[in-house]
mmCIF file of all heavy atoms in Angstrom:
data_model
loop_
_atom_site.group_PDB
_atom_site.id
_atom_site.type_symbol
_atom_site.label_atom_id
_atom_site.label_comp_id
_atom_site.label_asym_id
_atom_site.label_seq_id
_atom_site.Cartn_x
_atom_site.Cartn_y
_atom_site.Cartn_z
ATOM 1 N N ARG A 1 4.048 -9.687 -6.297
ATOM 2 C CA ARG A 1 3.061 -10.685 -6.720
ATOM 3 C C ARG A 1 3.757 -11.926 -7.267
ATOM 4 O O ARG A 1 3.392 -13.054 -6.936
ATOM 5 C CB ARG A 1 2.141 -10.057 -7.773
ATOM 6 C CG ARG A 1 0.995 -10.915 -8.210
ATOM 7 C CD ARG A 1 -0.043 -10.108 -8.974
ATOM 8 N NE ARG A 1 0.538 -9.408 -10.126
ATOM 9 C CZ ARG A 1 0.567 -8.074 -10.257
ATOM 10 N NH1 ARG A 1 0.069 -7.314 -9.298
ATOM 11 N NH2 ARG A 1 1.090 -7.518 -11.325
ATOM 12 N N LYS A 2 4.782 -11.734 -8.092
ATOM 13 C CA LYS A 2 5.496 -12.868 -8.696
ATOM 14 C C LYS A 2 6.291 -13.664 -7.665
ATOM 15 O O LYS A 2 6.415 -14.894 -7.770
ATOM 16 C CB LYS A 2 6.431 -12.364 -9.792
ATOM 17 C CG LYS A 2 5.715 -11.811 -11.007
ATOM 18 C CD LYS A 2 6.683 -11.194 -11.995
ATOM 19 C CE LYS A 2 5.950 -10.615 -13.189
ATOM 20 N NZ LYS A 2 6.856 -9.944 -14.138
ATOM 21 N N MET A 3 6.845 -12.966 -6.674
ATOM 22 C CA MET A 3 7.640 -13.640 -5.636
ATOM 23 C C MET A 3 6.765 -14.315 -4.578
ATOM 24 O O MET A 3 7.257 -15.058 -3.737
ATOM 25 C CB MET A 3 8.560 -12.638 -4.935
ATOM 26 C CG MET A 3 9.622 -12.021 -5.824
ATOM 27 S SD MET A 3 10.940 -13.161 -6.279
ATOM 28 C CE MET A 3 10.585 -13.341 -8.044
ATOM 29 N N ARG A 4 5.451 -14.032 -4.622
ATOM 30 C CA ARG A 4 4.507 -14.595 -3.648
ATOM 31 C C ARG A 4 5.024 -14.415 -2.224
ATOM 32 O O ARG A 4 5.093 -15.361 -1.437
ATOM 33 C CB ARG A 4 4.272 -16.080 -3.937
ATOM 34 C CG ARG A 4 3.677 -16.326 -5.322
ATOM 35 C CD ARG A 4 3.503 -17.800 -5.615
ATOM 36 N NE ARG A 4 2.946 -18.012 -6.948
ATOM 37 C CZ ARG A 4 2.753 -19.201 -7.502
ATOM 38 N NH1 ARG A 4 3.090 -20.290 -6.820
ATOM 39 N NH2 ARG A 4 2.254 -19.310 -8.705
ATOM 40 N N ILE A 5 5.342 -13.179 -1.917
ATOM 41 C CA ILE A 5 5.997 -12.921 -0.628
ATOM 42 C C ILE A 5 5.105 -13.249 0.568
ATOM 43 O O ILE A 5 5.610 -13.582 1.644
ATOM 44 C CB ILE A 5 6.467 -11.459 -0.536
ATOM 45 C CG1 ILE A 5 5.274 -10.497 -0.636
ATOM 46 C CG2 ILE A 5 7.509 -11.135 -1.582
ATOM 47 C CD1 ILE A 5 5.634 -9.073 -0.315
ATOM 48 N N TYR A 6 3.792 -13.168 0.412
ATOM 49 C CA TYR A 6 2.905 -13.401 1.552
ATOM 50 C C TYR A 6 2.744 -14.884 1.881
ATOM 51 O O TYR A 6 2.457 -15.242 3.027
ATOM 52 C CB TYR A 6 1.524 -12.782 1.293
ATOM 53 C CG TYR A 6 1.591 -11.323 0.917
ATOM 54 C CD1 TYR A 6 1.045 -10.871 -0.277
ATOM 55 C CD2 TYR A 6 2.221 -10.394 1.748
ATOM 56 C CE1 TYR A 6 1.119 -9.537 -0.635
ATOM 57 C CE2 TYR A 6 2.294 -9.062 1.400
ATOM 58 C CZ TYR A 6 1.747 -8.638 0.213
ATOM 59 O OH TYR A 6 1.830 -7.313 -0.136
ATOM 60 N N THR A 7 2.943 -15.745 0.898
ATOM 61 C CA THR A 7 2.740 -17.184 1.126
ATOM 62 C C THR A 7 4.039 -17.989 1.052
ATOM 63 O O THR A 7 4.026 -19.182 1.315
ATOM 64 C CB THR A 7 1.745 -17.747 0.088
ATOM 65 O OG1 THR A 7 2.255 -17.511 -1.232
ATOM 66 C CG2 THR A 7 0.389 -17.073 0.228
ATOM 67 N N SER A 8 5.132 -17.337 0.700
ATOM 68 C CA SER A 8 6.394 -18.053 0.529
ATOM 69 C C SER A 8 6.889 -18.649 1.844
ATOM 70 O O SER A 8 6.982 -17.962 2.865
ATOM 71 C CB SER A 8 7.464 -17.112 -0.032
ATOM 72 O OG SER A 8 8.713 -17.750 -0.069
ATOM 73 N N LYS A 9 7.222 -19.932 1.825
ATOM 74 C CA LYS A 9 7.756 -20.603 3.004
ATOM 75 C C LYS A 9 9.229 -20.256 3.227
ATOM 76 O O LYS A 9 9.760 -20.487 4.314
ATOM 77 C CB LYS A 9 7.594 -22.116 2.859
ATOM 78 C CG LYS A 9 6.136 -22.571 2.839
ATOM 79 C CD LYS A 9 6.041 -24.090 2.704
ATOM 80 C CE LYS A 9 4.585 -24.535 2.693
ATOM 81 N NZ LYS A 9 4.463 -26.019 2.537
ATOM 82 N N GLU A 10 9.886 -19.725 2.196
ATOM 83 C CA GLU A 10 11.310 -19.393 2.308
ATOM 84 C C GLU A 10 11.552 -18.059 3.011
ATOM 85 O O GLU A 10 12.687 -17.732 3.348
ATOM 86 C CB GLU A 10 11.955 -19.350 0.919
ATOM 87 C CG GLU A 10 12.015 -20.695 0.212
ATOM 88 C CD GLU A 10 10.793 -20.915 -0.663
ATOM 89 O OE1 GLU A 10 9.848 -20.103 -0.575
ATOM 90 O OE2 GLU A 10 10.787 -21.892 -1.437
ATOM 91 N N LEU A 11 10.498 -17.277 3.207
ATOM 92 C CA LEU A 11 10.635 -15.981 3.869
ATOM 93 C C LEU A 11 10.069 -16.046 5.280
ATOM 94 O O LEU A 11 9.012 -16.637 5.516
ATOM 95 C CB LEU A 11 9.903 -14.892 3.079
ATOM 96 C CG LEU A 11 10.438 -14.573 1.673
ATOM 97 C CD1 LEU A 11 9.541 -13.550 0.994
ATOM 98 C CD2 LEU A 11 11.872 -14.065 1.733
ATOM 99 N N SER A 12 10.769 -15.411 6.214
ATOM 100 C CA SER A 12 10.298 -15.352 7.603
ATOM 101 C C SER A 12 9.183 -14.313 7.722
ATOM 102 O O SER A 12 8.938 -13.522 6.804
ATOM 103 C CB SER A 12 11.452 -14.972 8.532
ATOM 104 O OG SER A 12 11.872 -13.639 8.285
ATOM 105 N N PHE A 13 8.528 -14.300 8.881
ATOM 106 C CA PHE A 13 7.470 -13.306 9.102
ATOM 107 C C PHE A 13 8.038 -11.900 9.021
ATOM 108 O O PHE A 13 7.420 -11.001 8.437
ATOM 109 C CB PHE A 13 6.815 -13.527 10.465
ATOM 110 C CG PHE A 13 5.804 -12.467 10.814
ATOM 111 C CD1 PHE A 13 4.543 -12.475 10.239
ATOM 112 C CD2 PHE A 13 6.128 -11.442 11.705
ATOM 113 C CE1 PHE A 13 3.620 -11.489 10.541
ATOM 114 C CE2 PHE A 13 5.207 -10.460 12.019
ATOM 115 C CZ PHE A 13 3.948 -10.474 11.433
ATOM 116 N N GLY A 14 9.231 -11.700 9.615
ATOM 117 C CA GLY A 14 9.860 -10.383 9.570
ATOM 118 C C GLY A 14 10.136 -9.930 8.153
ATOM 119 O O GLY A 14 9.945 -8.755 7.806
ATOM 120 N N GLN A 15 10.592 -10.836 7.301
ATOM 121 C CA GLN A 15 10.837 -10.498 5.905
ATOM 122 C C GLN A 15 9.525 -10.183 5.183
ATOM 123 O O GLN A 15 9.449 -9.219 4.413
ATOM 124 C CB GLN A 15 11.555 -11.655 5.207
ATOM 125 C CG GLN A 15 13.005 -11.826 5.652
ATOM 126 C CD GLN A 15 13.636 -13.077 5.078
ATOM 127 O OE1 GLN A 15 13.048 -14.159 5.128
ATOM 128 N NE2 GLN A 15 14.835 -12.944 4.523
ATOM 129 N N LYS A 16 8.505 -10.986 5.429
ATOM 130 C CA LYS A 16 7.219 -10.762 4.767
ATOM 131 C C LYS A 16 6.627 -9.408 5.126
ATOM 132 O O LYS A 16 6.146 -8.671 4.256
ATOM 133 C CB LYS A 16 6.244 -11.880 5.141
ATOM 134 C CG LYS A 16 6.575 -13.224 4.523
ATOM 135 C CD LYS A 16 5.602 -14.301 4.996
ATOM 136 C CE LYS A 16 5.960 -15.657 4.391
ATOM 137 N NZ LYS A 16 5.050 -16.732 4.862
ATOM 138 N N ILE A 17 6.654 -9.064 6.413
ATOM 139 C CA ILE A 17 6.047 -7.802 6.832
ATOM 140 C C ILE A 17 6.836 -6.619 6.302
ATOM 141 O O ILE A 17 6.282 -5.572 5.953
ATOM 142 C CB ILE A 17 5.905 -7.740 8.377
ATOM 143 C CG1 ILE A 17 4.923 -6.648 8.794
ATOM 144 C CG2 ILE A 17 7.235 -7.549 9.051
ATOM 145 C CD1 ILE A 17 3.486 -6.915 8.420
ATOM 146 N N ASN A 18 8.160 -6.767 6.198
ATOM 147 C CA ASN A 18 8.975 -5.675 5.656
ATOM 148 C C ASN A 18 8.782 -5.523 4.158
ATOM 149 O O ASN A 18 8.755 -4.398 3.642
ATOM 150 C CB ASN A 18 10.450 -5.901 5.988
ATOM 151 C CG ASN A 18 10.831 -5.337 7.338
ATOM 152 O OD1 ASN A 18 11.030 -4.137 7.488
ATOM 153 N ND2 ASN A 18 10.922 -6.207 8.339
ATOM 154 N N TYR A 19 8.645 -6.642 3.450
ATOM 155 C CA TYR A 19 8.390 -6.528 2.011
ATOM 156 C C TYR A 19 6.971 -6.057 1.741
ATOM 157 O O TYR A 19 6.715 -5.372 0.744
ATOM 158 C CB TYR A 19 8.701 -7.851 1.309
ATOM 159 C CG TYR A 19 10.171 -7.994 1.024
ATOM 160 C CD1 TYR A 19 10.922 -9.014 1.589
ATOM 161 C CD2 TYR A 19 10.822 -7.082 0.197
ATOM 162 C CE1 TYR A 19 12.289 -9.125 1.341
ATOM 163 C CE2 TYR A 19 12.175 -7.183 -0.051
ATOM 164 C CZ TYR A 19 12.900 -8.207 0.516
ATOM 165 O OH TYR A 19 14.249 -8.294 0.266
ATOM 166 N N TRP A 20 6.042 -6.399 2.637
ATOM 167 C CA TRP A 20 4.708 -5.806 2.521
ATOM 168 C C TRP A 20 4.794 -4.293 2.649
ATOM 169 O O TRP A 20 4.177 -3.550 1.872
ATOM 170 C CB TRP A 20 3.779 -6.361 3.609
ATOM 171 C CG TRP A 20 2.495 -5.572 3.654
ATOM 172 C CD1 TRP A 20 1.393 -5.768 2.886
ATOM 173 C CD2 TRP A 20 2.196 -4.450 4.498
ATOM 174 N NE1 TRP A 20 0.431 -4.827 3.184
ATOM 175 C CE2 TRP A 20 0.895 -4.013 4.175
ATOM 176 C CE3 TRP A 20 2.902 -3.770 5.493
ATOM 177 C CZ2 TRP A 20 0.298 -2.926 4.808
ATOM 178 C CZ3 TRP A 20 2.307 -2.685 6.129
ATOM 179 C CH2 TRP A 20 1.019 -2.272 5.785
ATOM 180 N N ALA A 21 5.581 -3.808 3.616
ATOM 181 C CA ALA A 21 5.744 -2.362 3.803
ATOM 182 C C ALA A 21 6.390 -1.724 2.578
ATOM 183 O O ALA A 21 6.041 -0.594 2.195
ATOM 184 C CB ALA A 21 6.576 -2.083 5.054
ATOM 185 N N SER A 22 7.327 -2.444 1.950
ATOM 186 C CA SER A 22 7.974 -1.924 0.739
ATOM 187 C C SER A 22 6.961 -1.748 -0.383
ATOM 188 O O SER A 22 7.005 -0.760 -1.132
ATOM 189 C CB SER A 22 9.081 -2.880 0.274
ATOM 190 O OG SER A 22 10.080 -3.008 1.253
ATOM 191 N N ILE A 23 6.059 -2.709 -0.510
ATOM 192 C CA ILE A 23 5.041 -2.637 -1.564
ATOM 193 C C ILE A 23 4.013 -1.553 -1.232
ATOM 194 O O ILE A 23 3.633 -0.748 -2.090
ATOM 195 C CB ILE A 23 4.368 -4.004 -1.741
ATOM 196 C CG1 ILE A 23 5.389 -5.024 -2.271
ATOM 197 C CG2 ILE A 23 3.170 -3.909 -2.686
ATOM 198 C CD1 ILE A 23 4.903 -6.453 -2.251
ATOM 199 N N TRP A 24 3.582 -1.534 0.023
ATOM 200 C CA TRP A 24 2.568 -0.555 0.424
ATOM 201 C C TRP A 24 3.082 0.871 0.273
ATOM 202 O O TRP A 24 2.314 1.786 -0.037
ATOM 203 C CB TRP A 24 2.130 -0.809 1.857
ATOM 204 C CG TRP A 24 1.135 0.198 2.362
ATOM 205 C CD1 TRP A 24 1.314 1.115 3.343
ATOM 206 C CD2 TRP A 24 -0.205 0.392 1.875
ATOM 207 N NE1 TRP A 24 0.185 1.882 3.507
ATOM 208 C CE2 TRP A 24 -0.763 1.452 2.617
ATOM 209 C CE3 TRP A 24 -0.975 -0.224 0.885
ATOM 210 C CZ2 TRP A 24 -2.060 1.909 2.396
ATOM 211 C CZ3 TRP A 24 -2.263 0.238 0.666
ATOM 212 C CH2 TRP A 24 -2.788 1.289 1.417
ATOM 213 N N TYR A 25 4.380 1.068 0.445
ATOM 214 C CA TYR A 25 4.955 2.399 0.285
ATOM 215 C C TYR A 25 4.616 2.979 -1.089
ATOM 216 O O TYR A 25 4.354 4.191 -1.223
ATOM 217 C CB TYR A 25 6.476 2.351 0.452
ATOM 218 C CG TYR A 25 7.167 3.626 0.021
ATOM 219 C CD1 TYR A 25 7.181 4.742 0.853
ATOM 220 C CD2 TYR A 25 7.762 3.731 -1.245
ATOM 221 C CE1 TYR A 25 7.783 5.927 0.446
ATOM 222 C CE2 TYR A 25 8.365 4.910 -1.656
ATOM 223 C CZ TYR A 25 8.373 6.004 -0.809
ATOM 224 O OH TYR A 25 8.961 7.173 -1.221
ATOM 225 N N TRP A 26 4.613 2.141 -2.110
ATOM 226 C CA TRP A 26 4.366 2.628 -3.457
ATOM 227 C C TRP A 26 2.900 2.901 -3.736
ATOM 228 O O TRP A 26 2.536 3.320 -4.844
ATOM 229 C CB TRP A 26 4.945 1.654 -4.481
ATOM 230 C CG TRP A 26 6.434 1.690 -4.453
ATOM 231 C CD1 TRP A 26 7.275 0.741 -3.967
ATOM 232 C CD2 TRP A 26 7.273 2.765 -4.901
ATOM 233 N NE1 TRP A 26 8.587 1.141 -4.071
ATOM 234 C CE2 TRP A 26 8.614 2.378 -4.646
ATOM 235 C CE3 TRP A 26 7.027 4.009 -5.489
ATOM 236 C CZ2 TRP A 26 9.691 3.211 -4.957
ATOM 237 C CZ3 TRP A 26 8.096 4.827 -5.805
ATOM 238 C CH2 TRP A 26 9.406 4.419 -5.538
ATOM 239 N N TYR A 27 2.048 2.671 -2.725
ATOM 240 C CA TYR A 27 0.660 3.088 -2.835
ATOM 241 C C TYR A 27 0.462 4.496 -2.294
ATOM 242 O O TYR A 27 -0.679 4.954 -2.130
ATOM 243 C CB TYR A 27 -0.256 2.095 -2.115
ATOM 244 C CG TYR A 27 -0.498 0.850 -2.925
ATOM 245 C CD1 TYR A 27 0.354 -0.244 -2.828
ATOM 246 C CD2 TYR A 27 -1.547 0.766 -3.830
ATOM 247 C CE1 TYR A 27 0.156 -1.380 -3.595
ATOM 248 C CE2 TYR A 27 -1.757 -0.365 -4.606
ATOM 249 C CZ TYR A 27 -0.902 -1.427 -4.474
ATOM 250 O OH TYR A 27 -1.093 -2.543 -5.247
ATOM 251 N N ALA A 28 1.546 5.205 -2.046
ATOM 252 C CA ALA A 28 1.485 6.590 -1.584
ATOM 253 C C ALA A 28 0.642 7.468 -2.513
ATOM 254 O O ALA A 28 -0.084 8.350 -2.034
ATOM 255 C CB ALA A 28 2.892 7.162 -1.426
ATOM 256 N N PRO A 29 0.698 7.289 -3.856
ATOM 257 C CA PRO A 29 -0.159 8.114 -4.721
ATOM 258 C C PRO A 29 -1.644 7.977 -4.403
ATOM 259 O O PRO A 29 -2.384 8.967 -4.440
ATOM 260 C CB PRO A 29 0.153 7.585 -6.127
ATOM 261 C CG PRO A 29 1.522 7.022 -6.023
ATOM 262 C CD PRO A 29 1.606 6.426 -4.649
ATOM 263 N N ILE A 30 -2.067 6.755 -4.083
ATOM 264 C CA ILE A 30 -3.473 6.549 -3.741
ATOM 265 C C ILE A 30 -3.780 7.152 -2.379
ATOM 266 O O ILE A 30 -4.823 7.796 -2.172
ATOM 267 C CB ILE A 30 -3.817 5.046 -3.775
ATOM 268 C CG1 ILE A 30 -3.676 4.520 -5.215
ATOM 269 C CG2 ILE A 30 -5.219 4.783 -3.250
ATOM 270 C CD1 ILE A 30 -3.881 3.046 -5.361
ATOM 271 N N LYS A 31 -2.854 6.965 -1.437
ATOM 272 C CA LYS A 31 -3.040 7.562 -0.110
ATOM 273 C C LYS A 31 -3.159 9.077 -0.214
ATOM 274 O O LYS A 31 -4.055 9.691 0.378
ATOM 275 C CB LYS A 31 -1.877 7.183 0.804
ATOM 276 C CG LYS A 31 -1.812 5.714 1.189
ATOM 277 C CD LYS A 31 -0.702 5.448 2.196
ATOM 278 C CE LYS A 31 0.662 5.492 1.537
ATOM 279 N NZ LYS A 31 1.753 5.137 2.482
ATOM 280 N N ARG A 32 -2.223 9.686 -0.944
ATOM 281 C CA ARG A 32 -2.223 11.147 -1.045
ATOM 282 C C ARG A 32 -3.461 11.652 -1.792
ATOM 283 O O ARG A 32 -4.006 12.717 -1.457
ATOM 284 C CB ARG A 32 -0.953 11.618 -1.746
ATOM 285 C CG ARG A 32 0.316 11.336 -0.953
ATOM 286 C CD ARG A 32 0.301 12.008 0.395
ATOM 287 N NE ARG A 32 1.406 11.572 1.242
ATOM 288 C CZ ARG A 32 1.580 11.944 2.505
ATOM 289 N NH1 ARG A 32 0.700 12.750 3.082
ATOM 290 N NH2 ARG A 32 2.602 11.500 3.213
ATOM 291 N N PHE A 33 -3.913 10.914 -2.794
ATOM 292 C CA PHE A 33 -5.124 11.310 -3.505
ATOM 293 C C PHE A 33 -6.311 11.350 -2.556
ATOM 294 O O PHE A 33 -7.102 12.299 -2.561
ATOM 295 C CB PHE A 33 -5.398 10.336 -4.654
ATOM 296 C CG PHE A 33 -6.735 10.553 -5.314
ATOM 297 C CD1 PHE A 33 -6.915 11.571 -6.236
ATOM 298 C CD2 PHE A 33 -7.815 9.736 -5.001
ATOM 299 C CE1 PHE A 33 -8.149 11.776 -6.839
ATOM 300 C CE2 PHE A 33 -9.053 9.936 -5.594
ATOM 301 C CZ PHE A 33 -9.224 10.959 -6.519
ATOM 302 N N LEU A 34 -6.426 10.332 -1.709
ATOM 303 C CA LEU A 34 -7.536 10.289 -0.752
ATOM 304 C C LEU A 34 -7.420 11.402 0.280
ATOM 305 O O LEU A 34 -8.421 12.010 0.671
ATOM 306 C CB LEU A 34 -7.577 8.926 -0.060
ATOM 307 C CG LEU A 34 -8.024 7.755 -0.936
ATOM 308 C CD1 LEU A 34 -7.816 6.439 -0.221
ATOM 309 C CD2 LEU A 34 -9.496 7.915 -1.333
ATOM 310 N N TYR A 35 -6.184 11.670 0.727
ATOM 311 C CA TYR A 35 -5.990 12.736 1.716
ATOM 312 C C TYR A 35 -6.346 14.105 1.132
ATOM 313 O O TYR A 35 -6.856 14.980 1.839
ATOM 314 C CB TYR A 35 -4.539 12.762 2.201
ATOM 315 C CG TYR A 35 -4.126 11.554 3.009
ATOM 316 C CD1 TYR A 35 -2.780 11.240 3.169
ATOM 317 C CD2 TYR A 35 -5.067 10.722 3.609
ATOM 318 C CE1 TYR A 35 -2.384 10.131 3.912
ATOM 319 C CE2 TYR A 35 -4.695 9.614 4.337
ATOM 320 C CZ TYR A 35 -3.343 9.320 4.486
ATOM 321 O OH TYR A 35 -2.953 8.222 5.221
ATOM 322 N N VAL A 36 -6.067 14.293 -0.160
ATOM 323 C CA VAL A 36 -6.368 15.572 -0.809
ATOM 324 C C VAL A 36 -7.850 15.668 -1.171
ATOM 325 O O VAL A 36 -8.488 16.710 -0.966
ATOM 326 C CB VAL A 36 -5.507 15.746 -2.081
ATOM 327 C CG1 VAL A 36 -5.999 16.921 -2.914
ATOM 328 C CG2 VAL A 36 -4.056 15.977 -1.700
ATOM 329 N N PHE A 37 -8.404 14.583 -1.709
ATOM 330 C CA PHE A 37 -9.742 14.650 -2.275
ATOM 331 C C PHE A 37 -10.852 14.510 -1.233
ATOM 332 O O PHE A 37 -11.979 14.950 -1.486
ATOM 333 C CB PHE A 37 -9.910 13.578 -3.356
ATOM 334 C CG PHE A 37 -10.886 13.963 -4.420
ATOM 335 C CD1 PHE A 37 -10.561 14.959 -5.331
ATOM 336 C CD2 PHE A 37 -12.131 13.354 -4.518
ATOM 337 C CE1 PHE A 37 -11.461 15.335 -6.321
ATOM 338 C CE2 PHE A 37 -13.032 13.721 -5.498
ATOM 339 C CZ PHE A 37 -12.695 14.723 -6.404
ATOM 340 N N SER A 38 -10.544 13.924 -0.080
ATOM 341 C CA SER A 38 -11.580 13.767 0.947
ATOM 342 C C SER A 38 -12.139 15.111 1.417
ATOM 343 O O SER A 38 -13.362 15.303 1.459
ATOM 344 C CB SER A 38 -11.035 12.955 2.128
ATOM 345 O OG SER A 38 -10.824 11.623 1.746
ATOM 346 N N PRO A 39 -11.294 16.075 1.802
ATOM 347 C CA PRO A 39 -11.857 17.379 2.175
ATOM 348 C C PRO A 39 -12.529 18.096 1.014
ATOM 349 O O PRO A 39 -13.486 18.855 1.216
ATOM 350 C CB PRO A 39 -10.637 18.165 2.679
ATOM 351 C CG PRO A 39 -9.445 17.458 2.159
ATOM 352 C CD PRO A 39 -9.834 16.026 2.045
ATOM 353 N N ILE A 40 -12.055 17.859 -0.228
ATOM 354 C CA ILE A 40 -12.697 18.465 -1.396
ATOM 355 C C ILE A 40 -14.100 17.877 -1.584
ATOM 356 O O ILE A 40 -15.052 18.591 -1.911
ATOM 357 C CB ILE A 40 -11.836 18.243 -2.653
ATOM 358 C CG1 ILE A 40 -10.566 19.097 -2.574
ATOM 359 C CG2 ILE A 40 -12.623 18.569 -3.923
ATOM 360 C CD1 ILE A 40 -9.622 18.887 -3.733
ATOM 361 N N LEU A 41 -14.236 16.567 -1.358
ATOM 362 C CA LEU A 41 -15.556 15.930 -1.454
ATOM 363 C C LEU A 41 -16.548 16.573 -0.498
ATOM 364 O O LEU A 41 -17.724 16.778 -0.830
ATOM 365 C CB LEU A 41 -15.442 14.432 -1.157
ATOM 366 C CG LEU A 41 -15.121 13.487 -2.308
ATOM 367 C CD1 LEU A 41 -14.997 12.067 -1.804
ATOM 368 C CD2 LEU A 41 -16.176 13.574 -3.406
ATOM 369 N N TYR A 42 -16.057 16.924 0.699
ATOM 370 C CA TYR A 42 -16.940 17.540 1.691
ATOM 371 C C TYR A 42 -17.193 19.012 1.391
ATOM 372 O O TYR A 42 -18.334 19.459 1.287
ATOM 373 C CB TYR A 42 -16.322 17.403 3.086
ATOM 374 C CG TYR A 42 -17.073 18.193 4.135
ATOM 375 C CD1 TYR A 42 -18.318 17.765 4.590
ATOM 376 C CD2 TYR A 42 -16.540 19.378 4.642
ATOM 377 C CE1 TYR A 42 -19.021 18.508 5.537
ATOM 378 C CE2 TYR A 42 -17.234 20.122 5.581
ATOM 379 C CZ TYR A 42 -18.475 19.684 6.024
ATOM 380 O OH TYR A 42 -19.166 20.415 6.952
ATOM 381 N N ALA A 43 -16.086 19.763 1.231
ATOM 382 C CA ALA A 43 -16.218 21.211 1.092
ATOM 383 C C ALA A 43 -16.812 21.624 -0.246
ATOM 384 O O ALA A 43 -17.602 22.574 -0.316
ATOM 385 C CB ALA A 43 -14.847 21.869 1.285
ATOM 386 N N THR A 44 -16.454 20.929 -1.323
ATOM 387 C CA THR A 44 -16.880 21.332 -2.662
ATOM 388 C C THR A 44 -18.156 20.635 -3.110
ATOM 389 O O THR A 44 -19.028 21.252 -3.731
ATOM 390 C CB THR A 44 -15.754 21.049 -3.686
ATOM 391 O OG1 THR A 44 -14.549 21.667 -3.232
ATOM 392 C CG2 THR A 44 -16.123 21.577 -5.061
ATOM 393 N N PHE A 45 -18.277 19.339 -2.777
ATOM 394 C CA PHE A 45 -19.413 18.562 -3.277
ATOM 395 C C PHE A 45 -20.423 18.188 -2.195
ATOM 396 O O PHE A 45 -21.467 17.613 -2.506
ATOM 397 C CB PHE A 45 -18.904 17.301 -3.966
ATOM 398 C CG PHE A 45 -18.008 17.585 -5.144
ATOM 399 C CD1 PHE A 45 -16.631 17.439 -5.040
ATOM 400 C CD2 PHE A 45 -18.543 18.023 -6.345
ATOM 401 C CE1 PHE A 45 -15.807 17.710 -6.119
ATOM 402 C CE2 PHE A 45 -17.724 18.290 -7.436
ATOM 403 C CZ PHE A 45 -16.344 18.144 -7.320
ATOM 404 N N GLY A 46 -20.111 18.467 -0.932
ATOM 405 C CA GLY A 46 -21.081 18.280 0.138
ATOM 406 C C GLY A 46 -21.224 16.883 0.685
ATOM 407 O O GLY A 46 -22.203 16.581 1.387
#
């Protein structure tokens, strides 16, 4: 957020997309929570 990687003119598209992937990687806890809780929502709560 501080480096403004998505709008920075000093970074190429390749750099931006790779740094986006670096940031998105750390959203794994949210991804895994959804992967675990989605079947529980169906099987346990209907």
Side-chain angles (χ1 to χ4, degrees):
R1 186 166 56 243
K2 292 174 181 177
M3 296 288 111
R4 299 178 181 176
I5 61 170
Y6 306 123
T7 58
S8 174
K9 295 180 180 179
E10 293 92 351
L11 295 176
S12 67
F13 175 77
Q15 289 173 312
K16 289 177 181 179
I17 197 68
N18 273 282
Y19 278 118
W20 170 85
S22 299
I23 294 170
W24 177 246
Y25 168 79
W26 290 108
Y27 282 89
I30 295 175
K31 292 185 286 184
R32 294 300 171 184
F33 172 79
L34 289 171
Y35 293 161
V36 169
F37 209 71
S38 291
I40 289 177
L41 272 178
Y42 171 73
T44 307
F45 300 103

